[in-house]
Amino acid sequence: MSKEKDFTHINDKGEPHMVDVSDKTITQRIATASSSVHLPAEVWTALRGEELMSKKGPVLQTAVIAAHMAIKKTADTIPLCHPLPLEGSKIWTEIDRPYIHIFCRVKTTGKTGVEMEALHGASVAALTIYDMCKALSHDIIIESTRLIQKSGGKNDFKMD
Amino acid sequence: MSKEKDFTHINDKGEPHMVDVSDKTITQRIATASSSVHLPAEVWTALRGEELMSKKGPVLQTAVIAAHMAIKKTADTIPLCHPLPLEGSKIWTEIDRPYIHIFCRVKTTGKTGVEMEALHGASVAALTIYDMCKALSHDIIIESTRLIQKSGGKNDFKMD
Amino acid sequence: MSKEKDFTHINDKGEPHMVDVSDKTITQRIATASSSVHLPAEVWTALRGEELMSKKGPVLQTAVIAAHMAIKKTADTIPLCHPLPLEGSKIWTEIDRPYIHIFCRVKTTGKTGVEMEALHGASVAALTIYDMCKALSHDIIIESTRLIQKSGGKNDFKMD
Amino acid sequence: MSKEKDFTHINDKGEPHMVDVSDKTITQRIATASSSVHLPAEVWTALRGEELMSKKGPVLQTAVIAAHMAIKKTADTIPLCHPLPLEGSKIWTEIDRPYIHIFCRVKTTGKTGVEMEALHGASVAALTIYDMCKALSHDIIIESTRLIQKSGGKNDFKMD
Amino acid sequence: MSKEKDFTHINDKGEPHMVDVSDKTITQRIATASSSVHLPAEVWTALRGEELMSKKGPVLQTAVIAAHMAIKKTADTIPLCHPLPLEGSKIWTEIDRPYIHIFCRVKTTGKTGVEMEALHGASVAALTIYDMCKALSHDIIIESTRLIQKSGGKNDFKMD
Amino acid sequence: MSKEKDFTHINDKGEPHMVDVSDKTITQRIATASSSVHLPAEVWTALRGEELMSKKGPVLQTAVIAAHMAIKKTADTIPLCHPLPLEGSKIWTEIDRPYIHIFCRVKTTGKTGVEMEALHGASVAALTIYDMCKALSHDIIIESTRLIQKSGGKNDFKMD
């Protein structure tokens, strides 16, 4: 993307603004993001069994629901994000000790993409896992929150 | 922390619950978290000057304000987090190419800590930076969201 | 509705997800719900006149406005509800001692129905009536929150 | 409670207001509410096994988390409710075909009670169960949302 | 207030922050604000009777309830406002053609004042009046939103 | 607009309702509002330089971001406002001692206008400026919040 093209759109004073998408085409848009939570050995030892049950309750199920709700609050949280209706969301997790990987996929039909919704969902799932496990250790690190895939906009994207 | 001590508090069915903190002591509590956004070279080239001005407006200032607002929405976002009044928050950033590091410090006087508030603030600042720069590239990665320090609770914490 | 048809859509692990409605048809959708608040005799005696004025102010008007606002927060409250724009809402009440009946009707044009919006609006109106009257008695019961009618989706519904 | 005592507090015009609690004593306050969802036979048949798995995912776990989050949004939803920090919440369910009973218990230390928080949590859990099952039938009824117990205020309450 | 004293607190980079109030004294704090809505003659003519009934419903009652709810959302709306519990709020209106004057009074016990809550409540009441009447004319002006009185902090304030 | 035409839509009991817009045409709609903050001399003296830096941070940038976020919360705040997706927003300010003028422009494609979004954005920017400066003086007045222009609906509007 050329710098020139990009910056013709900037207003003179550089004030923040929500980009005008009124002339963009309505298409079906999908985005998938992931985030990985690194849990130290003492947390893995203490979590009970396959279901990863913590002091506060089941870790993954709480995180998945938190993520679905966060997806819908993205435009309330990220200042210049466009509010838009959503048509579906799906969150899944993979346990790969010492990591829990979270995947978040969002779909809509509209004039702008849903990558921030997917990234926000994955982030909030990761934070919720942190919250559920922090009584056991604070040496938890949320690593590599990133976009995996995106389609339906001007350019598709796929993580290398 | 012994596993036994920990799990006496779990209710029998393992249902998620907001931990009862009514008997905890009221103390001044501080927590600091950080998150690091890795921006690819093409984003650094395109951002204008020291102020990191993007197509949507000034990157860091928008992120800092988003973080202050997110701190106050933590209990709305993380399902089992306690809602509590806050007495101060501070966000600062460091540019260390290819990274922007975000630091978020929160203070309160209460019965439970504010580490989730600090982590949530840092995460939302990172997501906002992503949003401000994503027109330039989607090869942005939010790395290492973690707690740096925490005081005022049963045990202080300091990142190694 | 056959069990087979229903459950082909379930993902393997049974994780909660927001159902994909992207292929559904855009139609005008209407739903109406009701809820009934049973107030004990002492509350009826104490409420002033026809306008049902309580210690906190006018009971029904406060409830009606709370319901309109709740309708718009449905997707924020019910985890897997789709966020969608709304095109109209109407709340009305009937006094039928010892009951106050609340009716809530919502309309939109979209790919999914608004029955949860109508049910949420009726529930919040009922809770608001409870809140306005609870200084007088806690023997208040919210009974029979249900869908009355729904149209515009695959199958219309009408309460028996 | 005498009518006279009650109505000295009403302002002249009967305008709604948030009751002044500044002179009330700070005490530990607990409230428990319940709500019962009546599911028709076809829903019971279609839900898979003990875990009550629906097309959208696990019914009860989703409802329990929705309730915890709703508890914290009570003052945002009920117009004249006081916003207050909370110190713990617990939701549990009982399956008693054809009913699912939800119980919601909330605790705080403050100048005003948490009965609306408990009632709101129970209501939102019931609505979430409705939402999770409504693809199977709309003949679901939410019955008997009520306060079970309350302590810490001027008068304790216990359902007959 | 001397400039020097004021600006010793600013952090070096001038980044926005939520002022640290942890060392301030807990006192009872009250603030009252007002806002005035100027309605053109055609609106006054069209509003029905003393109750100011518009196409959307009763004007003043809707505005008063909107204001009570807005008061509780102040810290969610104003970026660097402290979130705090509230102990009472009262809104009243005066009709003084061509003006509707709104008054909003908020009370809390805490370390920081509630003037932004009072101002936010008055503003939202004014905006709601605008919304209720705008089908009749857009020549409505919200004038003079200001603080009238404030007590309980370092310095009391009273409008001249 | 004739009174008769207007009031045929009112429901009999005059209960508040969200006007049914389902039959209106989808058009591109733009609205621009303004608000003016009068700051006393002592505030102007104390604010540092052209950037208007206050004790809490940069005044105008914080206000502009608060406004963008408020625009998206309009239907959550104004009881009978329709929730709708938005396609762009722009806020700008003019310093004209003793005033700061705020302008807020919002665009969407839909069945109803965005004048309340524009007015809400301008109001919240003004309140944020108040909050950023109130440590210096409470003699700040928010004057003349009004609609400047509106297009795309049945009738265009332009302030005289």
Side-chain angles (χ1 to χ4, degrees), chain D:
Chain D
M1 183 177 284
S2 87
K3 196 176 161 183
E4 284 70 23
K5 170 149 163 291
D6 228 75
F7 292 134
T8 50
H9 298 245
I10 301 182
N11 72 42
D12 292 339
K13 293 189 177 171
E15 280 163 344
H17 61 286
M18 183 158 43
V19 175
D20 186 344
V21 299
S22 57
D23 294 333
K24 294 179 75 174
T25 318
I26 292 176
T27 57
Q28 185 175 93
R29 290 158 187 273
I30 300 177
T32 312
S34 69
S35 188
S36 298
V37 186
H38 182 282
L39 297 172
E42 65 216 83
V43 174
W44 285 106
T45 308
L47 291 173
R48 291 187 305 177
E50 277 303 291
E51 297 177 31
L52 301 185
M53 186 65 64
S54 80
K55 180 178 164 184
K56 291 188 171 189
V59 174
L60 299 184
Q61 286 157 358
T62 306
V64 166
I65 293 168
H68 281 294
M69 298 186 84
I71 288 165
K72 298 186 274 187
K73 303 288 280 179
T74 304
D76 283 353
T77 305
I78 310 298
L80 303 173
C81 225
H82 295 82
L84 70 177
L86 301 175
E87 298 184 344
S89 60
K90 204 159 139 48
I91 321 279
W92 65 103
T93 54
E94 280 178 20
I95 294 177
D96 175 26
R97 270 185 79 160
Y99 290 102
I100 298 174
H101 301 297
I102 302 140
F103 299 88
C104 175
R105 188 182 185 85
V106 183
K107 204 189 242 191
T108 199
T109 302
K111 294 185 178 176
T112 184
V114 284
E115 54 266 52
M116 291 317 301
E117 278 76 7
L119 287 158
H120 187 224
S123 292
V124 167
L127 288 168
T128 301
I129 291 173
Y130 196 113
D131 181 52
M132 303 296 283
C133 296
K134 74 180 199 294
L136 297 161
S137 167
H138 282 96
D139 284 318
I140 302 170
I141 303 178
I142 299 172
E143 291 180 6
S144 202
T145 304
R146 64 191 301 177
L147 192 67
I148 293 180
Q149 165 277 337
K150 154 182 197 306
S151 64
K154 210 162 40 184
N155 301 298
D156 284 359
F157 171 83
K158 209 174 163 80
M159 190 182 75
D160 296 331

Side-chain angles (χ1 to χ4, degrees), chain C residues 127-144:
Chain C
L127 288 167
T128 301
I129 291 172
Y130 196 114
D131 181 51
M132 302 297 284
C133 297
K134 74 180 199 295
L136 297 160
S137 167
H138 283 95
D139 285 319
I140 302 169
I141 303 178
I142 300 172
E143 291 180 4
S144 202

Side-chain angles (χ1 to χ4, degrees), chain E residues 3-19:
Chain E
K3 196 177 161 183
E4 284 70 23
K5 170 148 165 289
D6 228 76
F7 292 133
T8 50
H9 298 244
I10 300 180
N11 72 42
D12 292 340
K13 291 188 178 173
E15 280 163 345
H17 61 287
M18 182 158 44
V19 175

Side-chain angles (χ1 to χ4, degrees), chain E residues 37-109:
Chain E
V37 186
H38 181 283
L39 298 172
E42 66 216 83
V43 174
W44 286 107
T45 307
L47 292 174
R48 291 187 305 178
E50 275 304 291
E51 297 178 30
L52 301 186
M53 186 65 64
S54 80
K55 181 177 164 183
K56 291 187 169 188
V59 174
L60 298 185
Q61 285 157 359
T62 307
V64 166
I65 293 169
H68 281 294
M69 298 187 84
I71 287 165
K72 297 187 274 186
K73 304 287 279 179
T74 304
D76 283 353
T77 305
I78 310 297
L80 303 173
C81 227
H82 295 82
L84 69 177
L86 301 175
E87 298 184 344
S89 60
K90 203 159 140 49
I91 320 280
W92 65 103
T93 54
E94 281 177 21
I95 293 177
D96 176 25
R97 270 185 78 160
Y99 290 102
I100 299 174
H101 301 296
I102 302 140
F103 300 87
C104 175
R105 188 182 185 85
V106 183
K107 203 190 242 191
T108 199
T109 303

Side-chain angles (χ1 to χ4, degrees), chain A residues 16 18 20-21 75 79 81 111, chain F residues 68-69 72-73 87 89 107:
Chain A
M18 183 158 42
D20 186 343
V21 298
C81 227
K111 294 185 179 176
Chain F
H68 281 294
M69 299 186 83
K72 297 187 275 187
K73 305 288 278 179
E87 297 184 344
S89 60
K107 205 189 241 189

